[in-house]
């Protein structure tokens, strides 16, 4: 995912998965945000508007961040 998409997801999480509030904070049309969320759903299979899928995605981002910060040394 590109940086713009990751930033959108971060703001969506910060606004408690609220599409209207997130679009207002990002100065986006609501439909633009919905389109981006649909794009993420197509790429990952996770619908971030559903709490369970959002949790799975958030944990995956945390794991990626941890692995990037602490590369495995053999």
């Amino acid at each position: 995912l590109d940086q713009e998409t990751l930033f959108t997801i971060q703001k969506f999480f910060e606004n408690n998965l609220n599409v209207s509030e997130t679009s207002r904070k990002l100065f986006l049309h609501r439909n633009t945000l919905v389109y981006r969320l649909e794009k993420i759903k197509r790429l990952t299979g996770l619908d971030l508007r559903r709490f369970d899928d959002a949790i799975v995605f958030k944990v995956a981002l945390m794991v990626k961040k941890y692995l990037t910060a602490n590369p495995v040394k053999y």
Side-chain angles (χ1 to χ4, degrees):
L1 299 173
D2 60 36
Q3 289 301 318
E4 182 182 32
T5 303
L6 291 173
F7 181 75
T8 301
I9 294 166
Q10 177 186 353
K11 291 298 177 188
F12 187 59
F13 288 154
E14 287 175 10
N15 289 292
N16 299 316
L17 310 181
N18 186 316
V19 174
S20 296
E21 186 64 25
T22 303
S23 63
R24 197 172 10 254
K25 295 270 174 93
L26 292 173
F27 303 104
L28 291 174
H29 192 278
R30 186 181 185 282
N31 290 344
T32 302
L33 179 58
V34 169
Y35 172 78
R36 288 182 185 178
L37 293 172
E38 287 295 325
K39 179 182 168 187
I40 294 163
K41 183 179 177 183
R42 280 194 316 273
L43 291 172
T44 65
L46 297 171
D47 184 357
L48 299 184
R49 292 171 287 186
R50 292 185 57 235
F51 181 76
D52 291 345
D53 287 351
I55 291 295
V56 169
F57 193 87
K58 181 72 171 176
V59 169
L61 282 179
M62 291 168 63
V63 168
K64 179 186 176 292
K65 183 178 177 181
Y66 174 78
L67 291 176
T68 303
N70 301 311
V72 177
K73 298 175 184 169
Y74 291 101

